[in-house]
Amino acid sequence: MSGLTGCCVGLDTDQPIAGPTRERQLAALPDNAPLIVLTEGSTDSKVLTEAMHVTHPHLVDFVRFIDYTGTDTKPQGSVGALANMVNAFIAAGVANRFVAIADNDAGGHEAFAKLKKQKLPAGCRVLHYPDLPLLARYPTFEPTSSAVALTDVNGAAGSLEMYLGEDVLTIDGALAPVHMGRFIPAVQRHQGALSPAHKVLVLKAFKKKVEAARAGQHSTGDWSGVHAIFEKIVHAFD
């Protein structure tokens, strides 16, 4: 540093340089680095990444969903594992801004209840998939009935499949029904989900819809659900 000190140079030899510079770099990082998004599992991450190329292609390089493809570590694929990952990111002092987004169902709200009570870092947000008008009156099998009823399943059965579009949720001319299961006392509601068979069909139909859209058929299909998810993510720090 001798070349920067001496006559006519206003630099104090005891003045800290590297430390404050590093602090300025870290302060600027959240605005310049990609926003990291943590999901409940690799399927959610993959599906949302593919959908973003259709609904928000301009954000592809600015929003990064955690990708486990090609790694030896397999995600546990549960909201509990997601909550643990959030705590690990906080403990590690990850400089990037990051969002953890869970299903909008009873299990998701139960697992995130403790996180929501914590004082989270400024660069962390804990979210759920948003409520949708489609899910406010959705065909549902209640635990004690074999009859289908129109039920508000927002907050009870809002897994990612429910956001992939009314078109892909329609199977054999009708919306695939939600089956309500166990009651979760912590959130005072039943946990609901599509049947495993319907879930597979919905994901396959959505994959075909993405492929068609990326081939130029952007006017086809219902994208309102995934669009709402991305809007919630990108505006999480507003």
Side-chain angles (χ1 to χ4, degrees):
M1 301 298 289
S2 60
L4 300 178
T5 62
C7 180
C8 304
V9 177
L11 180 63
D12 188 335
T13 55
D14 295 325
Q15 179 178 341
I17 299 174
T21 301
R22 181 60 175 160
E23 290 175 2
R24 289 193 296 271
Q25 289 175 333
L26 290 175
L29 181 61
D31 294 328
N32 299 321
L35 172 66
I36 298 174
V37 182
L38 311 176
T39 65
E40 288 193 25
S42 57
T43 298
D44 286 30
S45 176
K46 181 179 179 181
V47 169
L48 289 173
T49 298
E50 293 172 346
M52 188 166 60
H53 281 84
V54 177
T55 63
H56 293 70
H58 56 292
L59 295 179
V60 169
D61 292 329
F62 299 97
V63 178
R64 299 285 177 83
F65 291 87
I66 289 292
D67 180 15
Y68 290 90
T69 303
T71 66
D72 293 330
T73 302
K74 298 298 182 183
Q76 296 179 41
S78 70
V79 67
L82 175 58
N84 290 337
M85 190 181 297
V86 172
N87 283 319
F89 268 51
I90 293 173
V94 173
N96 294 59
R97 292 182 303 169
F98 65 96
V99 168
I101 189 161
D103 289 349
N104 185 21
D105 60 9
H109 284 277
E110 178 191 33
F112 266 14
K114 185 176 180 180
L115 268 180
K116 293 174 185 175
K117 294 178 182 178
Q118 293 179 204
K119 182 174 177 56
L120 299 173
C124 169
R125 294 291 185 273
V126 172
L127 310 173
H128 294 275
Y129 296 140
D131 287 356
L132 287 184
L134 173 64
L135 304 187
R137 286 176 54 82
Y138 197 86
T140 308
F141 282 108
E142 297 294 337
T144 57
S145 174
S146 59
V148 176
L150 294 179
T151 307
D152 185 355
V153 297
N154 284 303
S159 61
L160 181 60
E161 294 77 29
M162 307 300 292
Y163 291 80
L164 302 185
E166 186 173 358
D167 51 341
V168 300
L169 284 167
T170 301
I171 299 173
D172 296 330
L175 288 170
V178 160
H179 298 261
M180 302 306 289
R182 67 187 181 94
F183 182 76
I184 300 180
V187 292
Q188 289 293 296
R189 69 192 76 154
H190 290 273
Q191 169 70 19
L194 299 178
S195 70
H198 280 159
K199 179 177 178 178
V200 170
L201 292 175
V202 168
L203 290 172
K204 285 183 177 179
F206 184 73
K207 182 178 180 180
K208 290 182 179 179
K209 184 167 73 168
V210 169
E211 291 171 350
R214 297 192 68 177
Q217 303 173 31
H218 293 274
S219 61
T220 61
D222 172 22
W223 298 92
S224 59
V226 289
H227 189 279
I229 290 175
F230 293 134
E231 287 299 300
K232 187 162 188 178
I233 289 172
V234 299
H235 293 290
F237 292 91
D238 288 357

